[in-house]
Every structure is written in C-alpha cells, then in structure tokens.
Amino acid sequence: MYIALQCITSQAPSPMLKLILFLIFTFLTLNTVSGQFYDTVHRPNLSWFEHNTEHFRIIFHEGNEKTALRAAYLLENDYQNIRLLTGGSLKNFPVIINSYNDRSNGYVSSFNFRMEIESPPIAGKSLNPRTGGHLENLMSHELVHALQFSVNAGYNRMLYVFSPDLGRSVHGFVPTGIIEGLAVYRETELFTDGGRGNHAPFMQQYYGNLSANRSWNLATHLTPASYSRPLSRHYIGGYVFTRWFIDTYGMEPMRRSIRSHALFPFLGYATNLWYTSGISPWKLSIEFAAFTDDLHNQTLERNTQTPVETIDLGRLNGPDIHQPQWISSEEIIYFGRFYNERSGFWLYNTTQNSHRLIAETTMHESYGYRYDPLTSTLLYARYHIHPYHENRYTSDIHQLNLTTLKNRQLTRNHRLHHPNIHNYGLLALRPYGHEYHLTLLPDSTQADSQPDFDSPVLLTDNLPGSITEIRVHPADDNLIAVIANLQGQQALWLLRIERNNQNEFNLVKPGTIAPFWETPPDVYFPGGIIFDPRFHPKKSSLLLSAEIDQRMQLVEYHYDHDQLTVLTDSPFGIMEASYHPDGNRIAAIVQDQNYRKLTILNSQDLLHDTLSTDVWKAPLEDITEPVVTDDIVAIPYQTGINWIRPRTLFPVSRVMSARETNSLGLVMSSADVLRRNAYSLEISRGSGKTFYEFSYTYAGFFPKIKIQSALLPFAPGGQPDGGTDLFGQEQIHGAGLPFNWYFDDPAGTTKLSVNPELLYLSNRIQVQEIESSDVLAASNWNTSARIRINASYAHRLRQNLRDMQPRSGINFYAQTDLDFMTFNDARTFNGLRLGIQTWLAPRMRSNESLQLGIELIRQNRFGYNLFNLIHDGFDLASMSFNSPDISVFSARYTIPLSFPERGGYLLPVYLESIYAVAFSETIANNVFRNPTTLIGGGIRARIRLVYNIPVDIGIGLTTIPGTSGSTGVLSNF
C-alpha cells in the first residue's frame, strides 16, 4: 500500500483525474436543495473604516483606530514567518475588528473568507500574558488559520476557481487538533516564553491527563471534546503532538502535508502526513505513545512535597471548579460546572461534607467575584446577550444575597467585571479598546436603592498595558493589590486610591507621585506569571498563584518585610487559593487528571520555603510605545458592488415530473464582508424549460428584510399515460421580515424567532410528450395571495454537558398560512401547524432526560404534509386519512450508557457516546379520534467522521401494542 501510494502521489495527477475528483466531491458532498448559502447579521449602528496594507484589509469601527494600527503591524510583521510553517498566501484579506462584544474571541471563517477579532481582552488564565497583550495572543494564532486555509493545489485549486469558499473548506477535513495545534505552536515559537505552549495553566491540564485512568490516544489528541473535560483538548493535545512531530521530524513534512491534503483530501490527513514524512501511522502512534510515557514518568519523578487530597464531590461528576472562597469557618463558596448538575455558585460545608447549589448562573470568564461578610452578599459579573445584535454580550455586575438568595443587577451596559468593594464606591475592570483598565463607580452598593453608575471614573488612563486583576483588602481600603500586564511583563503592585480637593481620584503607590507603572513592582517574576491575589485576614501577607517550574503553585507574599515564600510543589498545579478566616487553612483548586477539583490545605503541611529576591523582585524592562503601522490612512468602509461576484457555485438538481425527470443547474451565492447583504441565485434547465430561484436578505436595520422570487419545477402526483409525462411548475414571489429576539437568561437559552411573509403563489400542471417535449395540455395558473407566519419560542432551555437532550425547558413552534385572495381555480387554504415540547430530568445526576411533545395540524384542506409528523415505525403504506387534521403525541427518554472518547488516526472514525432511547408516539386523526400508538427503543451512538463531522446514528425496534411483530428502524427515533 505504501509503495502504491508513492506511485500515485509522486507524480502530478492527470487533468482527467482532477476532473473526476472534482465532480465526485462536488456531487457527493453538496446539498442538492438550494437555499441562501450565507447568513446575515445585525451589528450596532457604527461608522466603519478600513486600513489597506500589503496583504490585509483591516476593517474597524469608530473608537478602534489604535487597535487597528497595532493589528496591521502585527499581521504584516508575522506574515512571512508563519508562511514558512503553513505555506499559502493572502492578498487584501479582510480582518474585521469590533470592540462591542465582551465575550471576546477571534476566529477565521472559510466561508466569506475573513478573520474577525473582538478587541476586548480574553480574561482569566486561558492565554499566556507573556506573549504580550490581547492582540499579540490572537493575531499570530488566527493568521496561521488564515494562511493554512489559503493553501490551494490540485483538486482544491480547481474547486477554488468555481467556489473559492468551498475550496478553502477542504482544509476543514484536517483534524481540528492539527489546525489548532499548528496555531498554538506558532504563537509559542514567535514570542520568547510566550504562547500557550509555555503557559502553565494550559500545559498542566495535559500533565494531569497523563495520570488519568484512560489517557488520550493519538486520535483523542486531535479530536474536539464534546462530552469530556477539558473542552480545549484539541488545542492542548494538538499542540503537544505538533510540537513533538516538528521537534522529531522537522517542519517541512508538516508544511508539505497541508499542501498534500489540498491535493488529495479524500485520502485523509493521516495518509497525507504519511506520504510527506515517510512515517507510517502505526509507527507514528507507537513513537508518540513512547514520548507521552516518558513525559508522564518525568512528571511523576518530580520531588513533590505537598500532600494534596481533593474534596469528595459525592455524585457530582466532571468538576470544573473556580475560585473557592471561605465565607465562614465551615463554608466555602465556589463557582462550579459539572457533567450532571447545574452551573453556578455552590456552597461546600466542611463539617457535613455536602455541596449545595446556591444560584444557577453563568459567570464572566475572569471568575472574579467578591464576598462581603458585612452584608452577606456576593458581587460577581455575568454576560447579558443583546436582543438581536449577533454575538454581542455585555458584562455587568450582579449582587447575590446569600441569606435571601435574591439577585439584583447593579449596573446596566457598563461592561464591567472583577468587582471589588471600596469606600469610594465600586471598583471593577472595563475594556477600552484591546486593554482592560481600572474603573471606579462612586457610591456603589452601599445605597439602599438601586445605585446610579452613570459616571464611571477611569483610574488607569495612559497605562501602557492592561489590568489583569484587582483585590481590595477586606479590612483596609487603603491597600489594593493590582496585577497589570505591561507588554508581556505581569507584575503586582500594592496601591491606594487618593482623592484630591477637586474630587478627582488617583491610583498611586504610597510615598510616590509617579504613575504606579513607572515605579518598581512589589512582585515580579521575570519570565513568569502571577494571578489570584488574596489577602490574609490577620497578617500582612497575601496569597498568589505563581508559575514555578512550568506549574502553577501557591506562594505567599509578606509585604510587611518584603519576603516571598513558596507554599506548594504539586506535579499538576495548584492555584486560586483563599485563606480560612483564622488563616491556618487554605482552600484551593488542584488539577486532578482532567478535572479542576477543590482541596483544603493545612498551613503546617505547606513548604514555607523562602524564595530568593533574585527570582521575584526584578525590575521591569523598559516600557516602550507599542509599534504600530502608522503610514496608512483610514478610509471610510464602503460595501461596494464587488460582493455580488459569486463566492460559491455548485450544481443543483430537482425532480420535475411524475416520471422523475430531473432538471440540472447551478446555484451561486455571495455576501458582503460585514454580512449585511447576502443573496442566492439558482438557474436550471430541464425538458426545454428554464427555472430560477432568487433570494436576497438585507440586515442593515432591524428586522431583516428578505425578498424572494422563483419559478421552480415540482413532481405532481398521478400516473401519466404511455408516451407522456406530467410536469409541475410553481411560482413564488414575496417578502418577509425575519428576526430573532434573545431574552436575557442567566443559565440557558430563551429565544423568539419570527418570520412573517407576504407571498404570491402560483402553480400549474402540464402534460408533455416525452420525445418531442411538446406541451399537449396545461392547467391554468392557480394563484393565491398568502400571509405566512413561522414562529418559535424556546423558554429557559438547559442542557448539561453529558445530557443527550435538554434537561429542562419548553419549546413552542407554529406555522400559519392564510390565503386572503385567490385567482382562477385556486382553492383557498387556511392552515395551522402547532407544536409544544418540554423536557424534564427525572434523574438529572444520571444525565437522563424525558422529552414530551404534542404536534397538531389543523387545515381546511390537504395542504400540509401529514406524513412528515408520523414515525417511520408506522406502516405508512396502509394508512389513509379522511380528514386533513392530525394530532401527534410523543415521548422520548434518553439514558447515557458510555462515553468511550476513542477512535482511529488512520481510519478517522471517532466514537464519542453511546446511549439508550425509549420512545412512544400516538397519532390521532380528525380531532383526537382513532388513536394509534407505537412504542419502541434502541441504541444510538454519536461519532465523528474525519475528526470534525458529528454524526448521530442508531438502530431500534418498534411495535404497535395489540398487534404482532415488530419493525426495525434506523436513526429516526
């Protein structure tokens, strides 16, 4: 096989082979039903501009000028270095920067090929602060994706000519772990000590997995996790594999594998890497397994001196716990997620060894919250979704009363997180461009009524970096721990807020007048990182999480005599600690295999090793103004007309007659880069006739407007005579105002979708001679003017990570059609389709879920297809209806059986989960009369094909009580 593969791929494929591959891929992988291929989105009403550089088109809105100039410099500066790894090239590549989404991220899309960056920094510990700022972390990572998706060769190049976006999407069949692993590898190589590969919170998750009962195999390293932690597995595992492969075999085989995969995507990535490296998948798996075994042994050989025992969680599985904090001598509050329970704030009672949910909620990704013992309240931040702007979340502060469990929102649209209480008001972090700054909101939660926060005060103006965390001393407002990241140097200062005679506030280091960032920091590990400052309740010291020897460990800073001691030496990392009220115990998070668990450490069991000041008391390097591309001029962004040029072009076929004659045509689609405009146009021919379907959507205002016009074939019923055939034609012309409206939901999804349409519908049937295509007879155009409304409402849908379907919530959906005018022989049609589904969790901690539903059709004549509601287990051929109405009652119970999370590398089939299903369906015709019930059960499995395509398959049996025998069913249950 290897020799044959070499013979095939060592020479250029013939043009005929390329054509065959193109046709096979196109016709087998593309949907033959047309529709609008590109989505449109609502954005805030802002003025947009653009910078044009040698390779990039930087599109940004007002207020993002500084961010855009910095992004332009970073992209052009990294461009050639990254090309050495991935190949590919970019020209006029769109990079969209917005600053209105607090749930920040960045991505590259192969459809409407572009990069989109949300400029507020990603908070928390997910990215390495030593890389620099937010842009330094994201730009190099996303540029790897963009260049990789730009590689086109062979079959991919030919597909690119017709459908450039589809051509790029061939790279989506590369394992996600390789795609993300390459990007993490590149970000790690570009910056000294930077990138996630040098980031302890990232890598210690991998070291923890090495000690798991079932550590990852090679395929698991490269496949996204759907049901298991960590959910960033393909980033972590993909990086480790990529790093090992390049260190072992060099960069060139990896780079060539990307091009080879573009040439022969059908062979799979493993085969293409085999060809470019000469290393078989079996040998590769064995060598990589030996490497991970050595890594595990090295981890176990660490001289661990800290005894760590995790807290028993009872039946809570899959813990992902953050920021435990003592609120009494016996109780610890923490934010927790689990496989089989609700996410939110949990209370652990150390005496009773019990865990209790206090409030179900989401939380800002920084996980910064503050407990106030005087009022027994908790201040925290969570995201609020915008009703209709796409992917726009605003972070605001909430106050949770732990006595009454009442929750109130303190700020609205202030974009704050990491709240702290101070005498002068509320301190919190707020995004400004691509940085976080410290903000004071005077007169905060001390007021009895809802506080007024209309005038926030910026305390860190001109800071050449970003504030990472703050912590006010619980007993002394004049002591504030501030962690700031200044161009990749993360350090801690102990500061205070001063107010002058003009009622102006300043954040200063005691005894100095210079800005605090120009003064020596109190704690700074050169080439290291620190997080999680927590003050001692009685002593002049505070806890920190610091990176020591590639693991996060706990250290204690004694600021009264400027001394730092190391408290822990865990092989897998300990962080996010807080003191017990008496100061003799510590609650913290420990990485235990794949989970973040709670642990309690006694002070007498800790190391208390004094660390030399040479390690943690170094001065900062000189802070310089970040380099930007300043020789370009911003010009107003204009949509223009170039977006009309098709971005995708693919074949379409429709059945157009009773004898199943087919039309053949093409569908072309495109959208503008900001996704305000999108269209789709299908043109096809069959039996001497031309058909078309056109739709256009505009999202420049709310709601969207969609217009459509079509002349399409359809297959009429009936049996044609000998040499004739029956052909159907229908016209659809109309407009609609579709919209989605999201409601604020602290822990799930509540959403309304409505699409009202005004339609002009016509249809006719022709009798046509097959040989000559002559029309022998034709009906009149039967025409009606119709109002159609499609609507759905999902209320408080909730689903835990290992639930096979939602565990709670209600979903309503309806369609109504009303003809208000008819012409010729058309019969008036009035119809209503209505459905209600609800979900319950009788045994939530086993991830079992029950779905109950009722679906109804009420219509004045047969217009809706009744059989769409009827389960395949019924004998459809023997069923007839004397009424156009139908009622269907259904139940579905799911029971997870196993989560194997295993698959092959060469044969990319990955088994994620196996679960059992029991179900029933009762159908009744003519207003609940003549009911017939079907019951059944089966086994289903969720798999991933070629690493990235999720598929749900199943096999089951059904029976109708009172009858003999059973019917097998596939998938549809």
Side-chain angles (χ1 to χ4, degrees):
M1 181 178 179
Y2 177 48
I3 296 175
L5 179 65
Q6 281 190 314
C7 293
I8 292 172
T9 57
S10 60
Q11 55 185 336
S14 68
M16 180 56 68
L17 176 59
K18 288 184 178 181
L19 179 61
I20 292 172
L21 290 173
F22 169 75
L23 293 176
I24 291 174
F25 181 81
T26 302
F27 281 95
L28 289 183
T29 63
L30 295 180
N31 197 330
T32 58
V33 178
S34 66
Q36 194 158 292
F37 208 66
Y38 293 91
D39 65 338
T40 54
V41 299
H42 295 293
R43 296 179 185 268
N45 185 20
L46 298 166
S47 297
W48 290 81
F49 303 88
E50 60 180 277
H51 289 315
N52 292 290
T53 69
E54 181 180 357
H55 301 99
F56 302 98
R57 181 187 180 197
I58 314 293
I59 301 171
F60 60 97
H61 60 75
E62 54 190 299
N64 265 352
E65 293 81 4
K66 178 181 175 183
T67 302
L69 290 172
R70 179 61 175 164
Y73 170 79
L74 291 171
L75 289 168
E76 290 291 355
N77 189 59
D78 296 343
Y79 180 80
Q80 294 298 341
N81 285 331
I82 292 176
R83 282 192 69 201
L84 297 175
L85 174 64
T86 61
S89 62
L90 299 170
K91 185 69 177 177
N92 204 33
F93 176 63
V95 178
I96 303 168
I97 300 174
N98 78 68
S99 62
Y100 49 74
N101 182 24
D102 289 341
R103 202 168 192 168
S104 187
N105 210 332
Y107 66 89
V108 170
S109 173
S110 61
F111 288 96
N112 208 339
F113 190 39
R114 71 195 188 280
M115 179 192 302
E116 185 141 3
I117 298 294
E118 289 140 352
S119 63
I122 296 176
K125 302 181 179 70
S126 58
L127 298 180
N128 189 345
R130 288 171 298 192
T131 305
H134 176 64
L135 295 181
E136 287 79 4
N137 268 297
L138 282 191
M139 288 303 176
S140 63
H141 184 98
E142 302 304 334
L143 183 54
V144 172
H145 296 329
L147 280 167
Q148 180 182 347
F149 276 74
S150 75
V151 174
N152 62 87
Y155 158 80
N156 171 259
R157 180 177 295 162
M158 185 165 54
L159 184 59
Y160 184 94
V161 172
F162 295 95
S163 299
D165 285 353
L166 291 176
R168 297 183 189 98
S169 298
V170 168
H171 293 285
F173 293 103
V174 173
T176 309
I178 295 294
I179 294 173
E180 297 297 348
L182 279 169
V184 175
Y185 172 82
R186 190 67 262 179
E187 76 185 45
T188 303
E189 289 297 298
L190 280 176
F191 301 94
T192 303
D193 295 324
R196 276 168 277 195
N198 291 319
H199 190 39
F202 181 82
M203 288 303 299
Q204 68 190 22
Q205 297 176 78
Y206 187 76
Y207 302 135
N209 171 262
L210 292 176
S211 65
N213 295 329
R214 296 182 67 208
S215 58
W216 306 332
N217 65 6
L218 179 52
T220 311
H221 278 73
L222 305 180
T223 307
S226 298
Y227 301 103
S228 299
R229 303 197 196 280
L231 295 177
S232 58
R233 181 182 70 198
H234 56 295
Y235 286 82
I236 302 167
Y239 165 73
V240 172
F241 172 77
T242 302
R243 163 112 258 167
W244 168 81
F245 183 90
I246 293 175
D247 287 349
T248 306
Y249 296 106
M251 186 183 297
E252 185 63 16
M254 183 71 75
R255 187 187 65 80
R256 289 175 55 219
S257 71
I258 297 172
R259 181 177 177 81
S260 179
H261 183 270
L263 279 164
F264 296 101
F266 305 104
L267 298 179
Y269 181 79
T271 304
N272 283 294
L273 186 60
W274 180 3
Y275 167 63
T276 59
S277 67
I279 309 300
S280 73
W282 300 278
K283 183 179 180 183
L284 200 68
S285 297
I286 292 171
E287 291 183 355
F288 183 64
F291 164 76
T292 58
D293 287 343
D294 288 344
L295 203 58
H296 184 212
N297 291 333
Q298 293 172 23
T299 302
L300 295 179
E301 289 171 1
R302 291 173 60 93
N303 184 22
T304 302
Q305 302 178 47
T306 308
V308 176
E309 292 186 6
T310 59
I311 298 300
D312 179 29
L313 293 170
R315 294 188 61 195
L316 297 175
N317 297 327
D320 179 34
I321 295 176
H322 296 266
Q323 299 292 347
Q325 186 169 334
W326 294 90
I327 63 172
S328 72
S329 60
E330 298 178 346
E331 293 178 315
I332 300 171
I333 197 166
Y334 61 85
F335 185 86
R337 297 187 185 92
F338 304 93
Y339 288 157
N340 59 344
E341 255 295 358
R342 292 165 289 177
S343 299
F345 286 105
W346 288 73
L347 194 66
Y348 172 62
N349 188 295
T350 59
T351 303
Q352 301 173 3
N353 194 29
S354 63
H355 300 260
R356 178 167 60 94
L357 180 67
I358 296 297
E360 183 180 12
T361 185
T362 55
M363 195 176 177
H364 189 276
E365 63 188 349
S366 66
Y367 299 104
Y369 66 91
R370 176 66 187 268
Y371 172 69
D372 181 8
L374 296 179
T375 59
S376 189
T377 58
L378 205 67
L379 289 183
Y380 71 98
R382 74 166 176 88
Y383 300 108
H384 296 259
I385 190 170
H386 190 275
Y388 58 87
H389 287 161
E390 189 258 355
N391 199 32
R392 183 182 180 186
Y393 294 84
T394 301
S395 177
D396 273 302
I397 307 300
H398 285 249
Q399 183 185 58
L400 173 64
N401 189 304
L402 298 185
T403 303
T404 64
L405 299 185
K406 247 182 111 176
N407 194 322
R408 68 168 179 164
Q409 185 176 345
L410 296 183
T411 66
R412 295 192 182 274
N413 299 317
H414 276 72
R415 312 187 62 184
L416 302 172
H417 72 276
H418 226 98
N420 272 254
I421 301 167
H422 190 275
N423 249 355
Y424 292 142
L426 177 70
L427 285 173
L429 301 185
R430 188 176 190 272
Y432 290 84
H434 55 280
E435 298 166 344
Y436 281 128
H437 286 272
L438 184 57
T439 302
L440 171 67
L441 286 78
D443 300 324
S444 69
T445 58
Q446 313 303 323
D448 295 332
S449 59
Q450 184 77 13
D452 182 8
F453 291 147
D454 288 338
S455 302
V457 178
L458 178 62
L459 297 179
T460 53
D461 197 15
N462 300 320
L463 174 76
S466 190
I467 302 295
T468 303
E469 291 184 73
I470 58 169
R471 177 66 59 167
V472 178
H473 194 290
D476 183 3
D477 281 351
N478 287 321
L479 192 57
I480 305 172
V482 175
I483 296 179
N485 181 14
L486 308 183
Q487 299 178 13
Q489 303 175 89
Q490 187 158 298
L492 176 137
W493 286 262
L494 294 178
L495 308 174
R496 62 183 294 172
I497 297 177
E498 293 182 349
R499 180 162 58 179
N500 60 25
N501 295 332
Q502 288 76 40
N503 206 30
E504 296 173 336
F505 298 94
N506 294 290
L507 185 67
V508 299
K509 189 171 184 178
T512 66
I513 59 173
F516 77 84
W517 55 87
E518 296 179 3
T519 66
D522 292 280
V523 179
Y524 170 54
F525 287 79
I529 55 176
I530 51 175
F531 293 101
D532 310 320
R534 298 293 184 271
F535 284 99
H536 196 285
K538 298 178 179 179
K539 299 178 181 178
S540 299
S541 59
L542 76 161
L543 284 171
L544 293 166
S545 304
E547 182 184 8
I548 297 176
D549 194 15
Q550 300 180 332
R551 308 292 192 278
M552 296 304 294
Q553 306 292 353
L554 301 183
V555 299
E556 190 172 37
Y557 175 51
H558 308 278
Y559 50 85
D560 56 346
H561 52 278
D562 204 25
Q563 184 185 63
L564 190 139
T565 56
V566 178
L567 302 182
T568 63
D569 180 23
S570 167
F572 307 118
I574 301 180
M575 55 187 178
E576 299 180 10
S578 71
Y579 290 105
H580 185 276
D582 65 13
N584 293 327
R585 286 190 290 172
I586 290 173
I589 298 301
V590 62
Q591 185 71 38
D592 184 10
Q593 300 185 25
N594 294 320
Y595 307 112
R596 293 167 51 101
K597 294 185 179 180
L598 177 65
T599 186
I600 296 177
L601 306 172
N602 293 315
S603 179
Q604 65 267 24
D605 296 329
L606 302 178
L607 301 179
H608 297 287
D609 291 342
T610 301
L611 200 61
S612 169
T613 54
D614 295 339
V615 177
W616 61 274
K617 201 66 175 177
L620 296 178
E621 297 179 6
D622 291 339
I623 306 297
T624 59
E625 189 68 23
V627 179
V628 299
T629 301
D630 56 4
D631 57 348
I632 52 178
V633 178
I635 59 175
Y637 166 82
Q638 294 183 337
T639 303
I641 61 172
N642 288 336
W643 70 272
I644 298 175
R645 182 178 61 187
R647 302 186 65 90
T648 59
L649 186 70
F650 58 88
V652 64
S653 178
R654 293 179 182 269
V655 178
M656 56 185 297
S657 74
R659 295 186 185 274
E660 298 188 350
T661 304
N662 288 286
S663 66
L664 186 64
L666 292 173
V667 176
M668 60 191 74
S669 302
S670 189
D672 71 296
V673 67
L674 289 182
R675 295 185 289 163
R676 291 172 175 163
N677 304 270
Y679 81 88
S680 176
L681 175 62
E682 171 192 330
I683 299 177
S684 60
R685 289 276 296 176
S687 296
K689 298 178 179 63
T690 300
F691 303 98
Y692 74 94
E693 182 178 23
F694 173 77
S695 67
Y696 167 77
T697 304
Y698 178 68
F701 49 73
F702 180 86
K704 299 178 184 179
I705 182 169
K706 181 177 181 179
I707 60 174
Q708 56 181 317
S709 179
L711 172 62
L712 296 172
F714 70 90
Q719 296 293 325
D721 295 332
T724 65
D725 200 354
L726 298 178
F727 289 81
Q729 295 178 353
E730 61 178 342
Q731 297 183 64
I732 307 172
H733 310 287
L737 299 171
F739 68 88
N740 294 323
W741 189 274
Y742 292 88
F743 297 87
D744 184 47
D745 190 328
T749 300
T750 299
K751 171 187 173 184
L752 173 67
S753 297
V754 181
N755 183 18
E757 296 177 283
L758 180 62
L759 301 172
Y760 179 86
L761 307 173
S762 298
N763 65 76
R764 71 176 180 180
I765 297 176
Q766 295 180 325
V767 181
Q768 187 171 314
E769 193 176 68
I770 296 176
E771 289 189 6
S772 65
S773 297
D774 292 338
V775 176
L776 304 179
S779 67
N780 292 325
W781 284 102
N782 299 316
T783 304
S784 63
R786 179 174 298 179
I787 295 174
R788 173 178 293 163
I789 301 175
N790 284 285
S792 66
Y793 175 69
H795 181 71
R796 296 177 63 85
L797 292 185
R798 305 284 194 271
Q799 186 165 352
N800 294 327
L801 189 62
R802 286 192 167 178
D803 292 341
M804 296 295 104
Q805 61 186 12
R807 59 171 170 80
S808 65
I810 302 175
N811 188 45
F812 303 87
Y813 50 94
Q815 175 186 336
T816 181
D817 287 79
L818 174 64
D819 286 347
F820 61 91
M821 192 178 298
T822 58
F823 306 91
N824 297 331
D825 298 327
R827 295 173 56 197
T828 300
F829 175 70
N830 298 316
L832 173 67
R833 301 165 61 107
L834 177 67
I836 303 174
Q837 293 175 315
T838 186
W839 290 268
L840 307 169
R843 300 182 63 202
M844 182 167 59
R845 296 214 170 166
S846 298
N847 293 103
E848 298 175 18
S849 174
L850 172 65
Q851 172 189 303
L852 300 173
I854 177 172
E855 299 176 88
L856 311 173
I857 286 182
R858 299 289 179 262
Q859 51 191 343
N860 66 327
R861 61 179 175 84
F862 285 98
Y864 298 140
N865 188 339
L866 304 184
F867 291 99
N868 286 344
L869 298 185
I870 300 174
H871 195 278
D872 292 346
F874 288 103
D875 183 5
L876 300 181
S878 65
M879 301 182 72
S880 61
F881 295 96
N882 56 13
S883 166
D885 297 337
I886 191 173
S887 306
V888 178
F889 307 88
S890 62
R892 185 176 190 260
Y893 196 85
T894 58
I895 305 173
L897 301 177
S898 177
F899 297 91
E901 296 279 10
R902 279 292 186 272
Y905 168 64
L906 179 61
L907 181 64
V909 178
Y910 190 86
L911 179 59
E912 291 187 319
S913 65
I914 302 171
Y915 62 104
V917 178
F919 58 93
S920 71
E921 187 169 293
T922 299
I923 59 174
N925 193 224
N926 194 15
V927 194
F928 308 127
R929 296 179 183 173
N930 308 316
T932 303
T933 299
L934 171 146
I935 61 174
I939 300 295
R940 300 191 63 84
R942 291 183 179 174
I943 63 176
R944 281 185 182 267
L945 300 177
V946 291
Y947 298 100
N948 303 330
I949 302 176
V951 178
D952 199 316
I953 59 174
I955 185 170
L957 291 175
T958 65
T959 186
I960 298 176
T963 65
S964 60
S966 59
T967 303
V969 290
L970 290 174
S971 291
N972 185 23
F973 61 90

